[in-house]
Amino acid sequence: MARRALLGTALCAGLVATLLTTGPARADHRDDAWTVSAPAAHEPTAHIRLDDTTGTVSLSVTRRGRTVIEPSPVGIVTEQADLSEGLRFLHRKDRLVDERYRAKSGKRLDRRVRMNETRLSFATPTGARLDLVVRASADGVAYRYVLPGGYGAVLGETSAFNLPPDASAWLGAYRVDNEGQFAQYTAATAPTGEYSDQALFETDGGYTLLAESDLTGDYSGARLAHDQGTGTYRIELADDRVQADGPLATPWRAMVTGDLATVTRSTFTDDLAPASKVPDGSWIKPGTVLWTWLAGGREAGQSLAAQKAYVDYAAERNWPYEAVDAGWYFKAGEWDTTDPDWQTNSWMPELVDYARAKGVGIIVWIHQRELDTPEERAQWLPTLERWGVKGVKIDFMDSEAQPMLRWYDAVLAETAAHHLMVDFHGSTLPKGIQRTWPHVMTLEGVAGEEKRTNTAAHLTTLPFTRNVIGSMDFTPGAFQRVGLRPNSDAAEVGLTVAYESGLQMFAGTPESYDRRPLARAYFDQVPAAWDDTRLLTGRPGREAVLARRGGDRWFLGGVYAGAARTAEVPLTVGPGRWLVETVEDGADGLVRNRRVLRGGDTFAVEVVANGGFAGIACRWRPGVTTCHR
């Protein structure tokens, strides 16, 4: 049933799909080569070719006539059928996918999807059937395999991506928690090993971010395998055998493609995913969060008094949420969940009531092992809902193997049923999950603020890699971690905009905010849901300046790596006159600068080594002196 539902995605509410052709391809007049182009002119085109001698299929991508992905193998192997060679062409079907949907978080809330889709059907000499479904949109190309069933477990894919050897590459070493640091290579010089499938390359055709979408427990998570000296990146699955009990549609192998601004702004992986499974999302509310782990550690999590003090601070600042991290449900061994009276003994209901009276919602941390069985979830989730908890931060999944992905399928449905927003840590990557399950507000899957090994270059790469595919719980704002983070205070403020997260967790201490009133005032203003996103300027590993619109104001976040410089920032947020207020590094701490500019003007920011800035731009007219409200 799950696969039938997946294959029926085209019939879900809100989808407008127009069947254009049935039968052999009309445009190509050949049975061994096909093209699939985006509806917009001059945008990505997929080229699919069948080798008449070997029966193998390859796929390449061009953009404006230039190479994006060189011809690369496609195919899948199961216990009963090798669907990677000996194939013959059967027929082709084309359609236009035209959708509108509204997200709860992300780079923009209102989304429009237009993709051309082609389904190419092939068969082996024994009659085994493989459908290759290819989509092309203005910002990407993707493909997936569809099998009718009865072929047994999947043993692997022959899918790979061939890049020009000299293509610039930004890669993160693969880890089960997806917290590898990004580093720059060329496609061929990257060391032999496994890499995250969120890999960014620069070719003649522009930038391309490899990604995955619509990953569920029906399949297995992917990573990239590479041999130094080649430009080939192979798909490897987390499981040696992927159980397939019926018809199978694999996740999308996605290539987010365009200039750097297009890739950064793209919602392609969300657009490929199925529509929302949450019928009423009125309870899902993004927001900023006072996070207490880096502020006070487990000791704070074990103290009702400490948590009430944090709630008081969040209420004073009008921050909508406070997050209680590890420690709260195993307080110094006095009680735990093996105690039949643990729900009665917990002080969490008192904290939730206290916070509610002050207009603050509570989010709680919980280890995945407390939720790994249906019985445990039936104990925990209704209890948290009854207490009035707004969301859960679930930690330490550390796997993308099929059994864990099936756990995700279960917990996603159950947390939605109990009106609990979700923040996943030690987790998979977004991969379209936030469209299908919009109560997933953010995921870690990043070497974030907790890591002591971060570099400024890594920080400037994240907007173009990990954060492209969905919300990222980096947890900025840890001003107290002097010497443990590579960037300046102004850059730390800028991260709250440069990085998008539906729950933006501030990782500092109240004392560190109070010592930086300009940062604190900025945090009071910054939203966690955006109406639009634009890249103002950037280069992975060097600099990233993003503008995100909340209502009629644009918030600016800039992060830089390397030596101090005078940075030039184009204000490409619309015509007219704008007041731009920036928070920058000064000789004695943070300073505020104000400028009145016209849309399209360029302004200068003095950036310290590994520095940055934050800003707000609002419409200017005589008498307007600040963008703060």
Side-chain angles (χ1 to χ4, degrees):
M1 287 298 294
R3 281 297 176 196
R4 292 189 184 96
L6 214 159
L7 293 171
T9 298
L11 301 178
C12 67
L15 176 66
V16 179
T18 304
L19 191 63
L20 299 179
T21 66
T22 303
R26 298 185 305 176
D28 305 295
H29 301 292
R30 296 178 59 178
D31 288 344
D32 62 355
W34 308 268
T35 61
V36 186
S37 297
H42 308 301
E43 297 303 343
T45 297
H47 307 264
I48 305 97
R49 186 173 183 85
L50 174 66
D51 187 300
D52 291 336
T53 302
T54 62
T56 58
V57 177
S58 63
L59 183 146
S60 61
V61 179
T62 60
R63 177 174 169 268
R64 301 183 178 182
R66 296 180 179 272
T67 298
V68 172
I69 301 289
E70 295 180 340
S72 303
V74 297
I76 188 170
V77 179
T78 75
E79 289 179 311
Q80 305 298 325
D82 184 347
L83 298 165
S84 67
E85 60 182 7
L87 299 173
R88 60 184 176 87
F89 175 64
L90 299 178
H91 54 76
R92 167 180 179 166
K93 292 182 180 179
D94 296 334
R95 66 175 185 151
L96 172 68
V97 177
D98 192 339
E99 302 174 348
R100 292 183 185 272
Y101 67 98
R102 184 168 173 84
K104 284 291 185 177
S105 59
K107 297 174 216 177
R108 58 187 175 276
L109 300 182
D110 289 313
R111 313 278 181 90
R112 174 72 185 275
V113 181
R114 284 178 57 82
M115 304 180 188
N116 283 331
E117 178 186 287
T118 291
R119 179 182 291 246
L120 300 170
S121 297
F122 301 93
T124 67
T126 60
R129 170 81 172 265
L130 170 70
D131 283 3
L132 176 66
V133 183
V134 183
R135 287 184 176 181
S137 77
D139 56 346
V141 168
Y143 68 87
R144 76 187 326 170
Y145 308 117
V146 178
L147 282 63
Y151 298 158
V154 174
L155 303 182
E157 297 183 21
T158 57
S159 315
F161 302 93
N162 288 331
L163 283 303
D166 60 351
S168 296
W170 292 268
L171 307 173
Y174 179 76
R175 292 171 40 138
V176 294
D177 58 8
N178 290 295
E179 295 178 19
Q181 299 256 336
F182 281 90
Q184 183 174 353
Y185 309 95
T186 66
T189 59
T192 296
E194 293 184 334
Y195 295 92
S196 170
D197 65 344
Q198 46 170 340
L200 180 69
F201 299 91
E202 184 184 16
T203 67
D204 287 345
Y207 287 84
T208 300
L209 180 72
L210 304 183
E212 187 173 25
S213 182
D214 196 12
L215 173 65
T216 71
D218 293 332
Y219 208 64
S220 179
R223 63 199 66 166
L224 299 174
H226 174 250
D227 295 321
Q228 191 172 42
T230 77
T232 299
Y233 289 78
R234 307 182 306 277
I235 289 291
E236 287 195 356
L237 302 179
D239 297 272
D240 294 330
R241 291 168 50 86
V242 181
Q243 200 63 38
D245 301 322
L248 173 66
T250 68
W252 293 100
R253 302 279 164 244
M255 294 150 275
V256 185
T257 301
D259 58 23
L260 195 58
T262 298
V263 171
T264 306
R265 191 175 184 266
S266 172
T267 60
F268 187 54
T269 52
D270 280 350
D271 298 343
L272 289 165
S276 172
K277 295 183 179 181
V278 180
D280 175 15
S282 59
W283 53 275
I284 304 170
K285 297 180 180 179
T288 53
V289 187
L290 176 59
W291 180 48
T292 62
W293 180 251
L294 292 185
R298 179 169 293 181
E299 293 76 14
Q302 294 176 347
S303 170
L304 174 59
Q307 292 301 320
K308 285 185 174 180
Y310 288 128
V311 166
D312 290 343
Y313 193 85
E316 291 170 7
R317 309 248 54 83
N318 290 316
W319 298 349
Y321 299 107
E322 189 252 355
V324 185
D325 215 279
W328 69 271
Y329 62 81
F330 43 91
K331 182 181 176 183
E334 294 179 15
W335 57 271
D336 58 37
T337 56
T338 62
D339 179 349
D341 296 322
W342 70 272
Q343 296 178 13
T344 303
N345 292 337
S346 175
W347 46 254
M348 186 56 68
E350 180 180 346
L351 179 66
V352 173
D353 289 344
Y354 181 84
R356 183 189 298 115
K358 292 177 174 284
V360 176
I362 296 296
I363 297 164
V364 299
W365 179 95
I366 187 168
H367 199 293
Q368 187 272 339
R369 66 182 173 228
E370 309 291 352
L371 300 172
D372 61 355
T373 68
E375 295 76 17
E376 289 170 334
R377 295 192 294 274
Q379 179 188 48
W380 273 101
L381 300 180
T383 299
L384 294 174
E385 181 185 27
R386 185 175 68 253
W387 287 348
V389 168
K390 297 300 184 183
V392 286
K393 173 182 172 182
I394 308 175
D395 208 344
F396 294 115
M397 282 68 71
D398 292 339
S399 172
E400 290 180 314
Q402 190 175 32
M404 184 59 75
L405 294 175
R406 288 178 170 174
W407 174 87
Y408 276 104
D409 292 345
V411 82
L412 285 165
E414 292 170 20
T415 50
H418 291 289
H419 300 104
L420 293 167
M421 296 184 293
V422 178
D423 172 3
F424 285 120
H425 268 231
S427 66
T428 184
L429 300 169
K431 301 186 178 182
I433 195 173
Q434 290 181 278
R435 179 183 182 186
T436 308
W437 298 104
H439 67 300
V440 178
M441 306 310 295
T442 191
L443 303 89
E444 189 180 30
V446 65
E449 194 75 87
E450 292 183 80
K451 305 303 176 186
R452 301 187 180 191
T453 55
N454 278 339
T455 65
H458 170 72
L459 301 187
T460 65
T461 303
L462 291 175
F464 311 114
T465 51
R466 165 62 181 85
N467 213 186
V468 169
I469 60 173
S471 292
M472 179 177 78
D473 195 15
F474 184 90
T475 68
F479 299 110
Q480 75 277 16
R481 290 170 66 83
V482 176
L484 299 178
R485 55 181 173 86
N487 57 340
S488 72
D489 279 0
E492 195 69 16
V493 181
L495 292 182
T496 62
V497 176
Y499 298 164
E500 182 276 320
S501 181
L503 290 174
Q504 188 66 280
M505 301 268 183
F506 299 151
T509 64
E511 296 78 14
S512 70
Y513 302 138
D514 291 342
R515 287 194 294 269
R516 298 166 178 83
L518 291 180
R520 184 186 62 195
Y522 192 84
F523 288 2
D524 292 349
Q525 299 289 308
V526 70
W530 302 104
D531 296 303
D532 200 0
T533 291
R534 296 182 184 179
L535 176 68
L536 300 187
T537 186
R539 171 75 176 174
R542 185 182 304 166
E543 62 186 33
V545 183
L546 282 86
R548 302 189 194 271
R549 183 171 63 83
D552 59 357
R553 295 185 295 173
W554 287 90
F555 290 76
L556 316 178
V559 290
Y560 297 80
R565 72 197 80 167
T566 300
E568 300 291 332
V569 179
L571 188 68
T572 50
V573 297
R577 302 186 78 178
W578 298 86
L579 173 64
V580 180
E581 294 183 273
T582 56
V583 177
E584 305 172 21
D585 293 297
D588 299 312
L590 296 175
V591 297
R592 176 182 291 166
N593 285 317
R594 292 186 174 93
R595 310 163 176 85
V596 175
L597 303 168
R598 290 191 178 276
D601 285 352
T602 295
F603 65 94
V605 178
E606 296 301 324
V607 175
V608 302
N610 298 328
F613 73 97
I616 307 176
C618 59
R619 291 290 182 181
W620 180 86
R621 63 181 184 277
V624 172
T625 60
T626 182
C627 294
H628 286 238
R629 296 171 181 169

